[in-house]
Amino acid sequence: MTSDYDDIINLPHYEPKHHPRMSMWNRAAQFAPFAALTGYDAAIQESARLTDDWIGLSESGNEEMNRKMELIVSMLPEHPFVTIEYFVPDEHKEGGSYQTYSGNVKCIDKYEQTMVMTDGKKIQLRMIRNISIFAETIENY
């Protein structure tokens, strides 16, 4: 029994003589402009990224924070060394993240409601969740 393609079935695969074969990567790249949902992967990653919720201070927490702030104000000439836990709102979605920063306090800007550190960093007072004050100061300037 013979078929219509018996004469070509065992021939070697054709190789072009004038240019090299295209790699599989380049062949697949030909179809990239036809991706139906450009930016879809980035949108999925953004929605999957987790953020924390802002947790405000209780009344007793506010009182403790006020005592610590008064102590820092009294120590400002010595530039007290502190570790601050504060909330940073996310720019793209609801929530944010809690970050920790350690450094020497330069001043408290009452107009902008920020704590200014000796290295120039500014932290919003309303975003501070906890402050630890250390007896030794470490001068960074």
Side-chain angles (χ1 to χ4, degrees):
M1 178 175 256
T2 63
S3 82
D4 295 338
Y5 300 104
D6 281 345
D7 57 339
I8 62 168
I9 199 75
N10 291 322
L11 291 177
H13 182 71
Y14 173 76
E15 293 290 332
K17 295 177 183 164
H18 302 293
H19 54 84
R21 291 188 68 166
M22 186 182 290
S23 70
M24 293 298 279
W25 179 261
N26 288 339
R27 288 179 64 83
Q30 293 181 72
F31 300 100
F34 299 104
L37 300 172
T38 304
Y40 180 72
D41 290 337
I44 292 295
Q45 288 177 346
E46 177 62 24
S47 66
R49 189 172 53 87
L50 298 177
T51 58
D52 293 323
D53 292 329
W54 163 250
I55 301 171
L57 296 175
S58 64
E59 191 171 323
S60 63
N62 277 332
E63 291 174 8
E64 181 181 351
M65 187 63 65
N66 287 337
R67 283 194 299 275
K68 289 180 179 182
M69 292 302 289
E70 288 173 6
L71 180 59
I72 290 171
V73 168
S74 70
M75 297 172 66
L76 276 178
E78 300 139 28
H79 301 292
F81 185 78
V82 297
T83 296
I84 302 170
E85 182 182 2
Y86 63 103
F87 185 76
V88 178
D90 193 284
E91 295 178 4
H92 303 291
K93 60 194 292 187
E94 189 73 26
S97 65
Y98 283 96
Q99 297 182 8
T100 303
Y101 175 84
S102 295
N104 295 87
V105 180
K106 181 178 180 181
C107 66
I108 295 179
D109 186 336
K110 292 181 181 178
Y111 179 73
E112 291 186 12
Q113 292 291 305
T114 58
M115 183 177 291
V116 182
M117 311 307 282
T118 55
D119 63 358
K121 177 140 180 91
K122 294 181 179 182
I123 300 172
Q124 293 288 320
L125 295 177
R126 63 185 177 85
M127 296 297 183
I128 295 175
R129 182 161 128 178
N130 190 23
I131 299 177
S132 299
I133 305 167
F134 297 94
E136 300 87 27
T137 60
I138 300 173
E139 298 297 331
N140 293 344
Y141 56 95

